[in-house]
């Protein structure tokens, strides 16, 4: 080491000692001024997290000595200001020399200063509310827990939200197919479809773009880029629920007008042309999905629905958390209706592929989005739960979903809960565990269901079908001889139940349960005929309306049967449909309000066209007794004019 360098080091050490002495003097003076100040008690104490931010300047081996007084002045000034919480990510640790000086200083001050340092820490923690209870409350604020329920004083509502929470991992159909058939089978099927997919990609644009990952469906790589034409707005928070509504951009409104013009003349070609320029127009996608379903192209129909769900999920609001059961998207808003229609169709597509667990989650989502249940998800939820073997969940749902425990009054739940208890009893016997004495047995539940809804039995015998001679003898009894109750709402729900759940009763064990229950009911009524009258009073009290309150739910929507038409006949129908929209060689203008035309005339029409047209969602034939409308009442507009 040279003498010159040694001299420089000694000089720096002397300067550092001198600085330490000056800093201690300044701090003593500052502490004296703070103790003498009358406002010292009201001034906030020093934040302990500010210690992490001292010495923000970098300490290098060869630093500039002339800048040190400015740093000391800045530290002195910061101590006079009220402490503020700073981000620890921006803090730079002080040098080792500085930390050693602070340790020496603390040892000189003695134990009295240590007591003073403890108080500011407690005060700061209280100020910042960094206690255990508050942090746990913040972490769990988004989860429906019992503690949060007690705070809000609404146990029923919180229980309802938790029971219909959706598990996103079960929404993926591919995952359920792998669980059912195995990964090898699914991979071989995917390889078989790679050729068609690659041709689609090769035929399209070569430019690549990012496809967002969504929870409802798995988007394909060859889909068009999301155009952002849809969005969602937050409306209000009411009774613990956040209310939202979809909104349209100007470009989407233009596509909507073109769709309504094509819809007015029933032009599917015009609907398809809308998708050429607006690939994520949801109404057009749903319409084309219906078309593909009727011609037997079920995969193309499912792809159109998947695109629709992809577009609507991409538009979700950041606060929109539908899987937690705390958001409402009311069906009464016209812009929200396509999501319900797409989800219901998607649920049926899952059921057709045998993915009942995924269909159950979508059914729960439909029920969670609108508590009014506009799509009738409540009347197929029990079917998917039974097919997915979610017996314990179904029992819990029937107990917690409604506070009045009235679900068992519906035909589907009265019979499905008996089936559910039957399988749970089998599981308990296989585990050699005692049955729950607080639960009614499956035999009692099936007897109750038969007494409450006896007309179900005759419909099931015909639909399943049940051809044993014992069923013929049972149906001879006057109690089971009728297939109509006489209450419109109840008869409609019974038709929906039989159409949706008849497959479950094809199992021999369940047929035995149903037969034993029916025989016991017949025997009971022979000894006590007044009991049947008591159940009649229960039915009338539960379904007191003289009108069909569930007429908006079509029985065919809950059926596994898919109505199809040959493509050749459908092409002839398209020609007939285009001619029907013309008046005197010209095309009529659409109505000013943009609504669909009045009910159609079925006289002197192509029967095939009438049949197919009746399956389309927008065609209005009017109620029974509305009379016949003139064909010239149909309004329309040329699609070419709309494109220009």
């Amino acid at each position: 080491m040279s003498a010159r360098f040694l001299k420089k080091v000694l000089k720096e050490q002397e300067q550092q000692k001198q600085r330490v002495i000056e800093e201690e003097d300044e701090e003593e003076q500052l502490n004296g001024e703070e103790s003498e100040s009358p406002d010292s008690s009201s001034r906030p104490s020093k934040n302990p997290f500010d210690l992490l931010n001292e010495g923000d300047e970098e300490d290098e081996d060869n630093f500039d000595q002339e800048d040190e007084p400015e740093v000391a002045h800045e530290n002195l000034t910061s101590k006079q200001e009220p402490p503020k919480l700073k981000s620890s990510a921006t803090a730079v640790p002080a040098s080792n020399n500085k930390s050693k000086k602070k340790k020496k200083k603390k040892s000189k001050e003695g134990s009295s200063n240590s007591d003073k340092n403890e108080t500011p820490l407690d005060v700061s923690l209280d100020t910042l509310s960094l206690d255990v209870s508050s942090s746990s409350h913040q972490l769990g604020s988004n989860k429906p827990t019992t503690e949060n329920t007690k705070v809000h004083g609404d146990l029923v509502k919180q229980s309802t939200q938790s029971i219909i929470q959706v598990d996103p991992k079960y929404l993926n159909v591919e995952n359920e197919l792998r669980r059912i058939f195995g990964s090898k089978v699914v991979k071989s099927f995917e390889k078989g479809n790679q050729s068609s997919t690659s041709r689609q990609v090769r035929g399209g644009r070569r430019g690549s773009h990012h496809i967002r990952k969504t929870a409802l469906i798995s988007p394909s790589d060859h889909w068009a880029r999301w155009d952002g034409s849809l969005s969602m707005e937050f409306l209000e928070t009411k009774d613990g629920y956040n209310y939202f509504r979809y909104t349209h951009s100007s470009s989407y409104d233009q596509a909507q007008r073109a769709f309504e013009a094509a819809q007015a003349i029933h032009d599917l070609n015009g609907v398809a042309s809308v998708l050429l320029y607006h690939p994520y127009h949801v109404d057009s996608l749903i319409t084309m999905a219906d078309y593909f379903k009727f011609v037997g192209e079920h995969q193309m129909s499912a792809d159109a629905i998947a695109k629709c769900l992809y577009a609507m999920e991409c538009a979700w609001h950041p606060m929109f958390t539908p899987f937690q059961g705390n958001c409402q998207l009311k069906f009464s808003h016209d812009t929200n209706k396509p999501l319900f229609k797409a989800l219901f169709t998607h649920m049926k597509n899952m059921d057709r592929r045998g993915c009942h667990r995924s269909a159950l989650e979508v059914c729960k989502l439909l029920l969670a989005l609108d508590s009014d249940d506009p799509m009738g998800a409540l009347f197929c939820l029990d079917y998917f739960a039974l097919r997915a073997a979610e017996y314990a969940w179904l029992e819990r749902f029937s107990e917690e979903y409604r506070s009045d425990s009235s679900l068992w009054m519906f035909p589907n739940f009265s019979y499905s809960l008996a089936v559910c208890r039957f399988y749970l009893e089998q599981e308990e016997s296989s585990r050699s565990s005692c049955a729950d004495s607080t639960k009614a047995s499956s035999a009692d539940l099936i007897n109750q269901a038969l007494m409450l809804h006896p007309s179900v039995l005759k419909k099931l015998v015909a639909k399943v079908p049940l051809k044993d001679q014992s069923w013929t003898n049972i149906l001879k009894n006057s109690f089971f001889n009728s297939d109509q109750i006489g209450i419109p709402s109840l008869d409609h729900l019974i038709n929906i139940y039989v159409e949706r759940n008849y497959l479950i009763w094809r199992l021999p064990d369940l047929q035995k349960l149903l037969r034993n229950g029916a025989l016991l009911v017949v025997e009971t009524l022979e000894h006590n005929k007044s009991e049947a009258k008591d159940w009649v009073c229960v039915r009338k009290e539960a379904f007191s309306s003289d009108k069909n309150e569930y007429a908006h739910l079509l029985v065919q929507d809950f059926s596994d049967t898919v109505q199809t038409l040959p493509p050749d006949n459908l092409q002839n129908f398209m020609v007939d449909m285009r001619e029907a929209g013309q008046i005197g060689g010209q095309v009529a203008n659409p109505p000013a309000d943009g609504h669909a035309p009045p009910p159609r005339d079925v006289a002197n029409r192509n029967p095939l066209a009438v049949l197919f047209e009746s399956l389309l969602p927008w065609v209005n034939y009017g109620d029974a007794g509305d009379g016949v409308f003139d064909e010239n009442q149909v309004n329309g507009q040329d699609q070419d004019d709309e494109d220009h």
Side-chain angles (χ1 to χ4, degrees):
M1 181 182 293
S2 62
R4 183 177 180 183
F5 185 74
L6 179 60
K7 183 178 180 181
K8 183 178 180 181
V9 171
L10 294 175
K11 184 177 180 181
E12 290 178 354
Q13 291 179 355
E14 292 178 358
Q15 292 177 352
Q16 289 178 357
K17 291 179 180 179
Q18 184 66 24
R19 275 200 311 275
V20 171
I21 296 173
E22 293 177 356
E23 289 179 358
E24 291 178 354
D25 294 340
E26 291 175 354
E27 290 180 358
E28 290 177 358
Q29 293 177 2
L30 181 62
N31 292 334
E33 292 176 358
E34 291 179 350
S35 61
E36 295 174 0
S37 175
D39 299 331
S40 60
S41 60
S42 61
R43 186 176 301 172
S45 59
K46 182 175 177 60
N47 195 325
F49 296 101
D50 284 343
L51 297 176
L52 300 174
N53 297 316
E54 291 188 3
D56 289 341
E57 287 75 14
E58 297 181 355
D59 294 328
E60 300 178 356
D61 293 337
N62 298 324
F63 61 90
D64 190 359
Q65 296 293 335
E66 295 179 357
D67 295 335
E68 185 64 25
E70 297 180 1
V71 176
H73 177 69
E74 292 176 359
N75 293 336
L76 179 62
T77 309
S78 64
K79 292 175 183 177
Q80 295 176 352
E81 297 177 354
K84 297 180 180 179
L85 181 63
K86 300 179 181 179
S87 175
S88 60
T90 59
V92 180
S95 62
N96 294 333
N97 293 332
K98 196 167 185 179
S99 62
K100 290 180 181 179
K101 296 169 188 175
K102 293 181 180 293
K103 290 179 181 178
K104 291 180 181 179
K105 180 180 178 182
K106 291 180 180 178
S107 62
K108 291 180 181 179
E109 291 176 353
S111 60
S112 60
N113 290 338
S114 63
D115 298 336
K116 296 179 181 179
N117 292 334
E118 292 178 359
T119 303
L121 179 61
D122 297 336
V123 175
S124 300
L125 289 177
D126 293 338
T127 305
L128 296 173
S129 299
L130 296 178
D131 55 290
V132 178
S133 61
S134 63
S135 60
S136 63
H137 175 71
Q138 292 175 0
L139 291 175
S141 59
N142 294 330
K143 299 180 180 179
T145 59
T146 308
E147 289 77 10
N148 292 338
T149 306
K150 293 179 179 179
V151 171
H152 294 90
D154 195 354
L155 289 168
V156 176
K157 183 197 308 175
Q158 193 67 28
S159 178
T160 300
Q161 291 180 359
S162 62
I163 196 63
I164 57 177
Q165 276 188 333
V166 178
D167 194 343
K169 70 179 180 180
Y170 290 111
L171 291 173
N172 194 320
V173 179
E174 286 74 15
N175 291 341
E176 185 167 1
L177 290 175
R178 291 186 181 94
R179 291 193 298 268
I180 298 173
F181 302 104
S183 300
K184 293 183 179 180
V185 177
V186 176
K187 286 181 180 179
S188 62
F189 178 77
E190 291 176 351
K191 288 181 181 179
N193 292 338
Q194 277 182 355
S195 58
S196 61
T197 304
S198 60
R199 285 195 297 269
Q200 291 178 359
V201 175
R202 255 186 253 116
R205 293 175 294 182
R206 296 182 178 273
S208 60
H209 58 274
H210 175 67
I211 295 293
R212 293 176 54 178
K213 292 184 178 180
T214 54
L216 293 177
I217 53 97
S218 298
S220 300
D221 295 334
H222 64 274
W223 286 0
R225 185 192 301 272
W226 163 241
D227 53 7
S229 57
L230 273 176
S231 61
M232 182 182 286
E233 64 176 348
F234 170 74
L235 298 178
E236 61 176 347
T237 299
K238 184 179 180 181
D239 297 334
Y241 292 98
N242 297 325
Y243 289 78
F244 297 87
R245 178 179 60 189
Y246 278 102
T247 57
H248 298 165
S249 63
S250 57
S251 61
Y252 193 94
D253 287 335
Q254 181 181 1
Q256 185 69 21
R257 289 192 295 270
F259 166 77
E260 292 174 356
Q263 170 184 329
I265 60 174
H266 313 303
D267 185 8
L268 291 179
N269 294 325
V271 174
S273 65
V274 173
L275 294 175
L276 293 177
Y277 302 98
H278 306 277
Y280 290 111
H281 183 259
V282 292
D283 286 324
S284 298
L285 287 171
I286 294 175
T287 301
M288 296 308 298
D290 291 337
Y291 165 75
F292 289 134
K293 179 182 67 175
F294 293 137
V295 299
E297 296 290 345
H298 298 292
Q299 185 58 45
M300 297 180 68
S301 176
D303 289 342
I305 292 298
K307 283 184 180 180
C308 180
L309 292 175
Y310 173 74
M312 304 203 79
E313 184 173 350
C314 288
W316 282 0
H317 193 276
M319 294 174 56
F320 187 65
T321 55
F323 299 153
Q324 296 182 7
N326 60 350
C327 296
Q328 289 286 289
L329 200 72
K330 285 299 181 181
F331 188 79
S332 56
H333 298 292
D334 291 337
T335 54
N336 295 341
K337 292 180 180 180
L339 179 62
F340 288 88
K341 297 176 182 178
L343 283 175
F344 193 84
T345 306
H346 185 54
M347 178 183 66
K348 293 169 62 178
N349 292 337
M350 289 178 169
D351 175 41
R352 192 173 295 111
R353 299 178 67 178
C355 300
H356 302 108
R357 187 66 178 86
S358 299
L360 175 61
E361 296 302 314
V362 177
C363 191
K364 289 161 60 177
L365 180 59
L366 279 170
L367 197 60
L369 288 177
D370 193 340
S371 57
D372 298 331
D373 191 19
M375 304 302 296
L378 198 61
F379 305 113
C380 54
L381 181 139
D382 58 302
Y383 170 77
F384 295 128
L386 292 177
R387 295 298 301 269
E390 292 292 324
Y391 308 124
W393 178 87
L394 183 59
E395 272 198 349
R396 179 173 166 238
F397 176 83
S398 64
E399 296 170 356
E400 298 182 7
Y401 180 66
R402 289 186 176 177
S403 58
D404 54 359
S405 301
S406 60
L407 283 180
W408 68 276
M409 296 293 297
F410 291 116
N412 58 319
F413 277 96
S414 61
Y415 282 87
S416 294
L417 288 176
V419 176
C420 179
R421 173 46 49 184
F422 174 78
Y423 285 115
L424 288 176
E425 289 173 351
Q426 288 186 339
E427 293 178 359
E428 292 169 355
S429 61
S430 63
R431 294 194 302 264
S432 299
S433 59
C434 298
D436 190 355
S437 59
T438 60
K439 301 285 186 179
S441 65
S442 58
D444 294 336
L445 290 176
I446 196 64
N447 292 343
Q448 178 178 284
L450 288 168
M451 295 290 286
L452 185 60
H453 306 294
S455 63
V456 172
L457 184 62
K458 187 174 183 178
K459 291 179 178 294
L460 282 178
V461 170
K463 184 71 175 178
V464 173
L466 302 176
K467 299 181 179 180
D468 191 83
Q469 183 63 30
S470 60
W471 295 108
T472 304
N473 297 330
I474 292 174
L475 293 180
K476 289 180 180 179
N477 187 281
S478 59
F479 188 73
F480 294 115
N481 193 21
S482 176
D483 58 355
Q484 296 290 331
I485 295 295
I487 302 176
S489 297
L490 185 55
D491 286 331
H492 190 71
L493 292 181
I494 289 175
N495 292 333
I496 290 177
Y497 169 72
V498 174
E499 188 67 32
R500 175 68 280 176
N501 293 53
Y502 76 95
L503 288 174
I504 293 177
W505 296 101
R506 288 186 173 179
L507 299 177
D509 292 341
L510 295 181
Q511 291 181 12
K512 182 180 179 181
L513 174 69
L514 185 63
R515 182 172 58 251
N516 293 339
L519 292 174
L520 184 59
V521 168
V522 172
E523 182 181 355
T524 302
L525 293 178
E526 289 179 355
H527 295 83
N528 186 8
K529 296 183 179 180
S530 62
E531 189 170 353
K533 297 180 180 179
D534 296 338
W535 287 103
V536 171
C537 296
V538 173
R539 285 196 298 269
K540 290 183 177 180
E541 184 177 356
F543 301 92
S544 57
S545 178
D546 295 333
K547 297 182 179 180
N548 186 1
E549 299 176 351
Y550 304 96
H552 61 283
L553 303 177
L554 302 180
V555 177
Q556 63 184 10
D557 290 340
F558 297 86
S559 175
D560 292 327
T561 305
V562 179
Q563 297 177 345
T564 59
L565 289 176
D568 295 338
N569 293 339
L570 186 65
Q571 185 176 3
N572 297 331
F573 156 74
M574 292 294 297
V575 175
D576 176 79
M577 190 169 56
R578 292 294 297 272
E579 294 176 353
Q582 296 182 357
I583 302 176
Q586 297 180 354
V587 180
N589 295 323
D593 56 0
H595 289 85
R600 306 296 306 274
D601 178 18
V602 298
N604 300 324
R605 292 285 311 282
N606 185 344
L608 181 62
V610 174
L611 171 63
F612 185 83
E613 203 172 277
S614 64
L615 302 177
L616 297 178
W618 60 68
V619 178
N620 179 19
Y621 279 96
D623 299 330
D626 284 348
V628 179
F629 286 81
D630 187 7
E631 183 71 17
N632 293 335
Q633 291 178 337
V634 180
N635 296 319
Q637 182 178 0
D638 188 23
Q639 183 62 35
D640 295 335
D641 295 340
E642 181 65 23
D643 293 339
H644 291 298

